[in-house]
Amino acid sequence: MPELPEVETVVKSIRPKLENKTIKNCQIYQNYSRIILHSSFHVLKNKILGKKIIQVTRRAKYIVLHLSEGYLIFHLRMTGQFQFNAQAPKHTTFSLDLSQGKMHFVDTRKFGTVEYHPDLTILEKKLGPEPLGEDFKLAPFQAALNKSAKNIKAYLLDQSKVAGLGNIYVDEVLWQAKIHPATKAGNLSKIQIVELFKAIPQILNFSIKHQGTTFINFYFEESKGGNFQNMLKVFNREGESCPRCNKVIVKIKFAGRGTHFCPACQKAKGNK
DNA sequence: TCGAATGTTGCGAA
DNA sequence: TTTCGCAACATTCG
């Protein structure tokens, strides 16, 4: 169930196994054709067969295989993983046969997706700036927040605003910036926005260093897990003490998701 | 047995 | 028009 740091970890781990390999064949399993977006399996197959994988990159939570012509794009959603066994493991939905080795897309919940596009405009159209990229800048971030009536938790989960944050890192980032999740984006003070702007790349980079967060089912390279779950300040820590003020962390359902925060040091209101 | 789970989309209602 | 809340997708786990 990966967010940006977990996807980054996956990309790093699969890159050496994919780059400079040629796609010899591909399979879809059972009646999982619905995981192929924007075209049919057969159309996708015809597009990618014989193409060479030039480069593997990440955009938000998407994994992008740059082919000698076009792009093959994966999204892991909640439970997607890649494995390189000879045999397709249980819950494999899609496989690539490469000039050297096979890659299986293994996905217990079957929410993960595969799509082919001649260019990346379809992603760029729906995604906001990369929080670790050069176009994530304070002034436009602030201007966009000021214009929004959304609560900040939902705002940060919205991939068209900032791309790559998910439930874990939104909770962590809001704790770091001392912002209550229900605060309206447009009511954040300048100071709060600056804190938020700093916290986002800081926490994402720190998690990437620790190879992401593994609770239940994020793994890369067959069975390795990340370590960042040991560094979390609020997520999954309901009832435990806030590392900053020692008060009890609470969990509520908010913006449709489990939401963890410290009621003592994440104030209930913006102060603009 | 029931509810929740690291994601996204789409719907109806406010 | 924008936001909110919820269901849906399919499966596992506590």
Side-chain angles (χ1 to χ4, degrees), chain A residues 143-155:
Chain A
L145 285 166
N146 285 155
K147 276 193 292 193
S148 174
K150 270 190 175 176
N151 66 71
I152 190 63
K153 166 109 189 186
Y155 186 97

Side-chain angles (χ1 to χ4, degrees), chain A residues 2 13 18 21 34 41-42 52 59 62 66 72 76 99 104 112 114 125 132 135 146 151 154-155 176 207 210 242 254:
Chain A
S13 77
L18 297 184
K21 307 291 193 298
R34 69 193 138 74
F41 170 70
H42 289 289
K52 186 172 168 185
R59 173 71 170 103
Y62 290 88
H66 302 236
L72 186 63
L76 305 176
S99 44
H104 304 294
V114 187
K125 228 167 60 183
L132 301 182
D135 52 348
N146 285 155
N151 66 71
Y155 186 97
Q176 177 73 32
S207 179
H210 292 274
C242 170
F254 188 73

Side-chain angles (χ1 to χ4, degrees), chain A residues 71-141:
Chain A
Y71 300 86
L72 186 63
I73 302 168
F74 292 87
H75 197 299
L76 305 176
R77 294 289 183 100
M78 303 286 268
T79 55
Q81 297 176 27
F82 293 118
Q83 298 200 20
F84 293 82
N85 323 27
Q87 288 290 317
K90 192 179 179 186
H91 299 306
T92 300
T93 57
F94 178 86
S95 298
L96 288 180
D97 294 352
L98 304 168
S99 44
Q100 200 188 338
K102 290 174 192 260
M103 184 178 84
H104 304 294
F105 189 30
V106 183
D107 184 13
T108 48
R109 286 172 74 176
K110 320 290 185 308
F111 295 166
T113 57
V114 187
E115 52 198 302
Y116 171 87
H117 296 290
D119 56 56
L120 296 176
T121 51
I122 193 139
L123 286 193
E124 294 310 321
K125 228 167 60 183
K126 62 177 172 183
L127 293 174
E130 269 297 307
L132 301 182
E134 288 176 359
D135 52 348
F136 186 54
K137 292 195 164 75
L138 179 59
F141 181 60

Side-chain angles (χ1 to χ4, degrees), chain A residues 17-18 20-28 41-42 44-53 65 67-68 72 94-103:
Chain A
K17 295 171 177 169
L18 297 184
N20 299 312
K21 307 291 193 298
T22 299
I23 298 172
K24 295 294 187 190
N25 204 352
C26 66
Q27 294 89 37
I28 190 128
F41 170 70
H42 289 289
L44 176 135
K45 181 174 176 175
N46 284 331
K47 293 286 187 189
I48 68 172
L49 238 53
K51 300 291 191 306
K52 186 172 168 185
I53 302 167
L65 276 53
L67 306 182
S68 40
L72 186 63
F94 178 86
S95 298
L96 288 180
D97 294 352
L98 304 168
S99 44
Q100 200 188 338
K102 290 174 192 260
M103 184 178 84

Side-chain angles (χ1 to χ4, degrees), chain A residues 7 63 83 137 172 209 224 226 248:
Chain A
V7 176
I63 295 162
Q83 298 200 20
K137 292 195 164 75
E172 291 297 303
K209 265 187 202 151
K224 288 189 198 167
V248 177

